Amino acid sequence: MFRFFSAMAVYVVLIFLSTWIFRHQHPGGAIAYTIAVLPAIPLLAVLVVVGLYLIEQTDEFEKTVTIQSMLWGIGGTLALSTVLGFLELYVSIPHLPRYFDFAIFWFVVGIATPIVRLRYR
């Protein structure tokens, strides 16, 4: 959990920092691309942290619940992205930025985890 929350703390700092820089400094060129990517790095680290958790977890039940919950998260994210994509294509709805996919994934994982656990009771 420490690794996960550390990555999320770095994410919060970098998202505020990059937003501030783009609003007040207006960077351009390669610096703009670098600053724009910075908040994504801790989110990618979260994926590594979850992978390490699955490697280090010795309890097969917990490992199975995590994997199944993440599969639900992937499925839910893909389903919602597909529906929203077609709605954006054919009907005028507000565009949802791609970075919300990460939050949607973890939201669905959060909903799926207790449901997956209930299946094994």
Side-chain angles (χ1 to χ4, degrees):
M1 287 307 255
F2 175 75
R3 292 184 286 203
F4 174 81
F5 286 113
S6 297
M8 293 310 294
V10 172
Y11 167 73
V12 169
V13 169
L14 290 177
I15 194 72
F16 281 112
L17 182 65
S18 60
T19 300
W20 185 88
I21 290 172
F22 274 100
R23 280 196 182 147
H24 299 288
Q25 303 296 319
H26 311 290
I31 293 175
Y33 284 97
T34 302
I35 294 170
V37 169
L38 281 178
I41 294 171
L43 296 181
L44 299 177
V46 166
L47 297 175
V48 173
V49 166
V50 172
L52 291 173
Y53 168 78
L54 290 173
I55 290 170
E56 295 167 355
Q57 180 57 261
T58 56
D59 186 336
E60 292 297 324
F61 174 73
E62 291 298 327
K63 194 180 287 190
T64 299
V65 168
T66 302
I67 290 170
Q68 288 184 9
S69 300
M70 292 179 71
L71 287 173
W72 277 103
I74 291 169
T77 304
L78 287 174
L80 186 62
S81 294
T82 301
V83 170
L84 289 176
F86 280 110
L87 286 172
E88 289 175 6
L89 180 64
Y90 295 118
V91 184
S92 181
I93 66 166
H95 174 70
L96 187 65
R98 295 278 48 106
Y99 57 81
F100 275 105
D101 288 347
F102 200 79
I104 291 168
F105 168 77
W106 287 110
F107 178 76
V108 175
V109 169
I111 291 172
T113 299
I115 296 170
V116 169
R117 284 185 189 282
L118 282 176
R119 285 186 47 212
Y120 291 102
R121 288 192 174 209

